[in-house]
DNA sequence: CCTGACATGTAAGGAGTTACATGATTAA
DNA sequence: TTAATCATGTAACTCCTTACATGTCAGG
């Protein structure tokens, strides 16, 4: 389980509320770890009980009040310990690949549309990542800002983003290959 | 849920027992969908109850008897219906990316070893995939054999394998990038 | 007044993981 | 006799998903 650890990393980068965390999991952290607000609130509660994080009630004007969480010493230690633990290369689950092999036993025309849809989704994500890279990681967008992270933190965020970019490019190329294969073998049957 | 559907595809490609399915999930199907024998037996029982698959007791010599499963009409229909259903591009979970961003808040030396270990695992998998491709998908290894799948089935298996190969190559390249980044920014702190 | 963004939760059910459990046969 | 492979399962627990639920405040 790494949701707790993903939350710890995010809170170390910047303290925030459950709601804010949920939004980060739709954006930057979501590039490599997804979580819904339901999961996040539940885990935050557990982490608070375990003394991993501290809460601070923040009254707000013009908005509902929020609880701002930050990492406690115990949480930092838990993260550190997890970082030392070796993990196994992750197991994959690609519904689309199941469908592609299943297409041999069914009419593939609907699969072609599905693959095109996925290719477009990956193109959109790639464009989104590239825009984020241009915005946050060009030499001009330096760490000089008031909230800008330190060099190492920033570089590590960048290399993870580059991984997302490489992944989307690979997927687009592969889905092109899939479509070419379906075009050659699908209708000919 | 696609485990049921992955099992249906596998049984359509070739009927077999729960044990044989578990082994396939360590090999070809496991490239894009993992499952343990515990899951498989549980799901097989449910699929049998639902009339998706048929069972046949196969007495064996020199081995324990086995139950050979094959896809029934209801199962074929269920697969067909699932193939028509659009699915969302899958959500990712990359522990390693969490660790990389977490390395900004901890000593990165153990992470370097971890990344090197993962890179080796991906190199091994790539070699394994390439060997499988050479064995099963060169022009010489044609469909002429007694158990060889038909052209479309074979081509679709091949394009999924090419996806696995592209994925491993991408990962190896990215992990090289990660190691270079850690070398530049890790020890300098 | 109504919509949308902000903010925080509960409940039920499905899926996956880990540990436990049994038993046959073959080869070293 | 011991290990390895074949073969099939149960139980407990954790995790994730989906649906439901409530409420504030700003702007049109």
């Amino acid at each position: 389980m790494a949701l707790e650890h993903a939350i710890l990393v995010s809170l170390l980068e910047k303290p925030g509320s459950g709601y804010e965390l949920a939004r980060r999991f739709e954006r930057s952290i979501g590039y490599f770890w997804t979580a819904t607000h339901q999961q996040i609130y539940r885990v935050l509660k557990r982490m608070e009980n375990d003394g991993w994080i501290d809460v601070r009630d923040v009254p707000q004007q013009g908005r509902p009040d929020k609880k701002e969480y930050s990492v406690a010493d115990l949480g930092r230690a838990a993260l550190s310990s997890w970082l030392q633990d070796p993990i196994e290369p992750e197991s994959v689950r690609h519904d689309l690949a199941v469908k592609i092999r299943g297409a041999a036993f069914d009419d593939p025309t609907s699969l072609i549309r599905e693959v095109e849809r996925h290719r477009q989704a990956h193109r959109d994500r790639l464009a989104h990542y590239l825009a984020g890279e241009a915005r946050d990681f060009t030499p001009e967008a330096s760490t000089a800002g008031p909230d800008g992270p330190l060099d190492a933190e920033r570089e590590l965020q960048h290399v993870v983003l580059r991984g997302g970019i490489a992944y989307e490019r690979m997927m687009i190329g592969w889905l092109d290959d899939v479509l070419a294969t379906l075009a050659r073998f699908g209708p000919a049957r």
Side-chain angles (χ1 to χ4, degrees), chain A residues 43-176:
Chain A
V43 173
L44 280 175
K45 192 158 283 181
R46 186 171 71 224
M47 290 168 79
E48 194 196 334
N49 285 335
D50 293 348
W52 288 20
I53 51 178
D54 295 321
V55 205
R56 193 167 63 92
D57 274 315
V58 179
Q60 295 191 117
Q61 291 191 325
R63 297 177 186 188
D65 298 349
K66 67 174 181 181
K67 299 181 186 172
E68 194 183 75
Y69 292 94
S70 53
V71 178
D73 289 346
L74 272 175
R76 216 173 217 281
L79 178 65
S80 186
S81 152
W82 178 73
L83 287 173
Q84 309 293 322
D85 274 351
I87 48 173
E88 288 316 301
E90 56 280 329
S91 51
V92 283
R93 296 275 163 89
H94 290 305
D95 296 76
L96 201 55
V98 178
K99 283 199 171 194
I100 290 164
R101 271 173 73 156
F105 308 99
D106 206 78
D107 175 31
T109 40
S110 73
L111 182 64
I112 290 172
R113 279 195 300 278
E114 176 94 327
V115 172
E116 283 168 345
R117 214 167 50 81
H118 279 248
R119 184 177 57 175
Q120 190 55 48
H122 286 288
R123 281 175 178 164
D124 291 347
R125 264 200 238 169
L126 176 60
H128 183 229
Y129 289 2
L130 289 173
E133 187 181 37
R135 185 184 64 246
D136 299 331
F137 297 109
T138 42
E140 300 80 48
S142 76
T143 64
D147 286 331
L150 302 173
D151 270 356
E153 193 178 323
R154 198 161 168 273
E155 275 299 318
L156 292 172
Q157 288 176 357
H158 192 186
V159 79
V160 169
L161 178 56
R162 288 202 296 275
I165 290 169
Y167 177 75
E168 299 305 331
R169 287 203 167 118
M170 182 277 295
M171 282 300 287
I172 293 165
W174 177 58
L175 292 177
D176 284 340

Side-chain angles (χ1 to χ4, degrees), chain A residues 4-31:
Chain A
E4 305 159 350
H5 305 106
I7 288 175
L8 286 173
V9 170
S10 188
L11 289 179
L12 280 170
E13 289 177 355
K14 195 168 173 32
S17 68
Y19 188 84
E20 283 162 353
L21 281 170
R23 293 196 56 208
R24 290 183 210 171
F25 275 92
E26 286 167 5
R27 308 186 83 263
S28 63
I29 317 170
Y31 301 163

